[in-house]
């Protein structure tokens, strides 16, 4: 397949604090004051001017290179602030790179934030034609797709209403429908789909799959790893402005989710001042133990094991709970559990001291594979005390049982030991009751 996007040594540099006023006039005044080494004209009374001679700067992207082939759906993943949105804005020609170059073959339709390219005073109908014109579509082409766009967005009743009166969900439904249906060669979609409801997200994922089958290309940014895995065959992991890993999606997602986790079966925080939490509670350790109390990174799924969360309470807390979520290494959440299941502590205040909350995972509960643990603490319905994503990773192996006698990987996530009975219908015992 031909290459439709080629990125070579792409870098983007920002100097922080140069702009930030509410108008262009404010920003120009601030810039001129810096040139003349005068106080910041936007400072409020009593505010300290913290600028110095060296402007703080950041490389949002640094020497990024990759290629995308026609018809591919490529997932772009990474933590907040990694540089994903900057990359998409450069690809969409919204902003220019500091260095490097981007070669794009074909028209790009971008959906980077709610209502991208919409004019709030125009109606939904008018914005469809406006977006089509921006993409270089002729009126006849837009006319042919118009009814399909409106039906997909489910805004028939409001198509002649100014979009400034749309809810965020209506906004994004119409924006995605326009971007996907006006036949761009390349469709760029950021995390904006998270605004829509679950049914619409499912519809959007299906539509992006259709777009790729038509030979068009999709770049999809999302924090939903199951969506990335379901939709994309290739993925790019952006981290701190660099490409950390690219390749087949499953491998990239697994590496991303396990990044920073402990492979020893235990993760500890020796410096309590830097551990997750605040001046009331601090996380000290997370570990997995076998049924004999040994901390291990690899366990046998034929035996029970324990998840332990150790923490220190520094100030008296109202009834709270320790929570963990267990996920597969491709980002699928399996279940969540909390120590409020212990009735002795469900309604008790917790006084200062060191605690361990321990949860028993029964044998024959999970299939063999790699798992990731996310832990946290909260006061239910009131306040989150801390969260720790990717706190720990561990592996379950199958060494026995019915599944252990077969080499293939069984489908599913759980492997419960269920009761079965087999009857031979022609047996005399069955016939005679």
């Amino acid at each position: 397949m031909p290459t439709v996007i080629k990125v070579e040594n792409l870098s983007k540099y920002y100097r922080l604090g140069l702009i930030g006023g509410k108008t262009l006039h404010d920003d120009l005044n601030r810039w001129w004051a810096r040139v003349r080494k005068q106080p910041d004209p936007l400072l409020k009374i009593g505010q300290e001017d913290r600028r110095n001679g060296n402007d703080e700067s950041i490389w949002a992207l640094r020497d990024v290179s990759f290629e995308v082939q026609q018809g591919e759906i490529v997932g772009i993943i990474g933590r907040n602030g990694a540089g994903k949105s900057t990359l998409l804005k450069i690809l969409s020609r919204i902003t220019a790179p500091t260095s490097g170059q981007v070669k794009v073959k074909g028209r790009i339709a971008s959906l980077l934030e709610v209502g991208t390219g919409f004019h709030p005073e125009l109606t939904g109908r008018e914005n469809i034609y406006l977006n089509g014109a921006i993409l270089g579509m002729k009126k006849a082409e837009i006319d042919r797709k118009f009814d399909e766009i409106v039906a997909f967005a489910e805004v028939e009743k409001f198509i002649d209403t100014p979009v400034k009166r749309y809810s965020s969900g209506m906004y994004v439904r119409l924006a995605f429908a326009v971007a996907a249906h006006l036949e761009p060669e390349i469709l760029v979609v950021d995390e904006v789909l998270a605004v829509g409801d679950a049914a619409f997200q499912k519809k959007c994922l299906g539509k992006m799959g259709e777009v790729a089958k038509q030979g068009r290309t999709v770049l999809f940014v999302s924090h939903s790893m199951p969506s990335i895995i379901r939709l994309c065959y290739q993925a790019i992991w952006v981290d701190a402005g660099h490409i950390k890993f690219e390749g087949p999606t499953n491998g990239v997602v697994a590496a991303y989710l396990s990044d920073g986790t402990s492979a020893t079966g235990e993760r500890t925080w020796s410096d309590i001042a830097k551990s997750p939490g605040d001046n009331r509670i601090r996380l000290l350790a997370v570990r997995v133990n076998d049924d004999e109390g040994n901390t291990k990174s690899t366990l046998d799924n034929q035996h029970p094991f324990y998840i332990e969360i150790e923490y220190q309470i520094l100030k008296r807390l109202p009834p709270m709970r320790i929570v963990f979520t267990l996920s597969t290494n491709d980002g699928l959440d399996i279940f969540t559990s909390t120590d409020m299941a212990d009735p002795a502590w469900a309604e008790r205040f917790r006084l200062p001291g060191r605690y361990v909350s321990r949860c028993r995972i029964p044998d024959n509960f999970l299939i063999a594979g790699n798992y990731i643990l996310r832990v946290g603490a909260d006061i239910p319905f009131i306040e989150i005390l801390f969260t720790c994503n990717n706190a720990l990773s561990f592996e379950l192996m199958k060494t026995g049982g019915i599944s252990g006698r077969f080499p293939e990987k069984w489908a599913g996530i759980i492997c419960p030991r269920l009761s079965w009975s087999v009857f031979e219908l022609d047996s005399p015992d069955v016939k005679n009751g």
Side-chain angles (χ1 to χ4, degrees):
M1 299 295 285
T3 298
V4 294
I5 299 176
K6 186 173 184 179
V7 176
E8 298 177 320
N9 303 317
L10 191 68
S11 297
K12 181 62 177 179
Y13 173 87
Y14 288 107
R15 197 167 71 186
L16 305 180
L18 181 61
I19 62 173
K22 296 180 180 179
T23 66
L24 178 60
H25 179 267
D26 287 343
D27 290 337
L28 289 174
N29 280 339
R30 171 172 278 177
W31 170 79
W32 184 242
R34 288 193 174 201
V35 171
R36 302 179 65 184
K37 299 182 179 181
Q38 293 178 344
D40 186 346
L42 300 186
L43 283 177
K44 297 179 181 179
I45 296 175
Q47 239 181 352
E48 180 184 355
D49 189 350
R50 297 184 178 180
R51 298 176 305 164
N52 52 44
N54 298 318
D55 291 325
E56 188 178 357
S57 61
I58 184 172
W59 285 96
L61 295 172
R62 194 70 183 266
D63 296 326
V64 170
S65 300
F66 63 90
E67 294 184 5
V68 178
Q69 310 303 314
Q70 180 182 339
E72 283 188 334
I73 305 182
V74 179
I76 301 178
I77 63 176
R79 293 178 173 81
N80 291 330
K84 306 185 300 299
S85 294
T86 299
L87 174 60
L88 295 191
K89 287 177 180 177
I90 293 174
L91 294 178
S92 304
R93 297 169 183 161
I94 294 172
T95 188
T98 302
S99 62
Q101 61 179 342
V102 176
K103 298 178 181 177
V104 177
K105 184 179 180 181
R107 292 180 303 196
I108 294 182
S110 302
L111 189 59
L112 305 183
E113 36 184 72
V114 176
T116 300
F118 278 13
H119 192 294
E121 299 295 336
L122 299 181
T123 66
R125 182 186 303 275
E126 292 165 338
N127 272 297
I128 291 175
Y129 282 93
L130 173 64
N131 269 251
I134 292 172
L135 288 174
M137 308 290 292
K138 295 181 179 179
K139 184 177 182 298
E141 294 178 274
I142 303 172
D143 288 339
R144 190 175 68 251
K145 289 284 185 178
F146 184 84
D147 290 340
E148 189 177 347
I149 292 170
V150 174
F152 186 93
E154 302 172 3
V155 294
E156 293 93 335
K157 294 181 180 179
F158 311 100
I159 195 61
D160 291 311
T161 300
V163 296
K164 68 180 180 181
R165 295 194 174 96
Y166 284 16
S167 68
S168 60
M170 293 168 63
Y171 231 116
V172 75
R173 288 205 303 269
L174 186 58
F176 180 85
V178 171
H181 286 81
L182 292 183
E183 300 182 353
E185 282 77 19
I186 301 168
L187 178 61
V188 177
V189 183
D190 205 342
E191 187 64 39
V192 65
L193 291 185
V195 176
D197 56 36
F200 184 71
Q201 289 179 32
K202 185 176 180 180
K203 185 191 289 190
C204 290
L205 293 174
K207 184 62 182 177
M208 283 190 280
E210 290 179 20
V211 167
K213 289 178 182 177
Q214 296 167 3
R216 292 182 277 162
T217 304
V218 179
L219 295 182
F220 179 44
V221 173
S222 179
H223 290 289
S224 171
M225 295 304 108
S227 295
I228 291 285
I229 290 171
R230 171 188 166 189
L231 193 65
C232 309
Y233 292 103
Q234 296 288 317
I236 298 172
W237 173 12
V238 181
D239 183 62
H242 296 81
I243 291 182
K244 191 165 185 177
F245 192 14
E246 61 178 314
T249 301
N250 285 334
V252 175
V253 168
Y256 168 67
L257 289 175
S258 62
D259 182 50
T261 62
S262 170
T264 63
E266 180 179 38
R267 183 177 180 183
T268 61
W269 286 264
S270 56
D271 186 351
I272 191 171
K274 297 181 180 179
S275 68
D278 55 22
N279 62 348
R280 296 167 296 173
I281 181 173
R282 290 286 185 176
L283 180 62
L284 300 180
V286 181
R287 62 181 68 92
V288 287
N289 292 339
D290 64 17
D291 56 345
E292 296 180 353
N294 302 308
T295 299
K296 293 184 175 181
S297 61
T298 302
L299 303 122
D300 186 348
N301 71 344
Q302 297 299 304
H303 299 283
F305 66 94
Y306 296 84
I307 293 173
E308 288 190 354
I309 302 166
E310 184 177 345
Y311 51 99
Q312 182 157 354
I313 293 180
L314 305 170
K315 293 184 179 180
R316 182 175 181 265
L317 286 172
M320 54 152 289
R321 61 186 178 185
I322 296 293
V323 182
F324 74 80
T325 298
L326 193 65
S327 306
T328 61
N329 69 339
D330 58 7
L332 179 64
D333 290 342
I334 304 170
F335 69 89
T336 297
S337 190
T338 169
D339 65 354
M340 271 196 167
D342 182 350
W345 287 93
E347 302 297 331
R348 284 177 62 176
F349 280 68
R350 301 202 191 188
L351 302 178
R354 290 172 71 102
Y355 294 78
V356 171
S357 292
R358 180 183 295 117
C359 178
R360 181 181 185 271
I361 310 297
D363 57 305
N364 290 284
F365 183 67
L366 299 168
I367 65 168
N370 294 299
Y371 296 91
I372 295 172
L373 202 62
R374 181 169 73 247
V375 303
D378 68 352
I379 301 171
F381 306 109
I382 297 176
E383 183 181 5
I384 295 175
L385 299 172
F386 69 77
T387 57
C388 181
N389 296 320
N390 301 346
L392 193 68
S393 65
F394 62 93
E395 181 181 8
L396 286 181
M397 299 184 67
K398 57 181 181 181
T399 59
I402 187 70
S403 64
R405 298 207 298 268
F406 301 96
E408 80 274 18
K409 177 177 172 59
W410 282 26
I413 298 172
I414 62 173
C415 60
R417 182 179 293 162
L418 304 176
S419 177
W420 284 70
S421 298
V422 180
F423 302 97
E424 184 181 355
L425 295 181
D426 292 331
S427 168
D429 294 336
V430 173
K431 290 180 179 179
N432 296 329

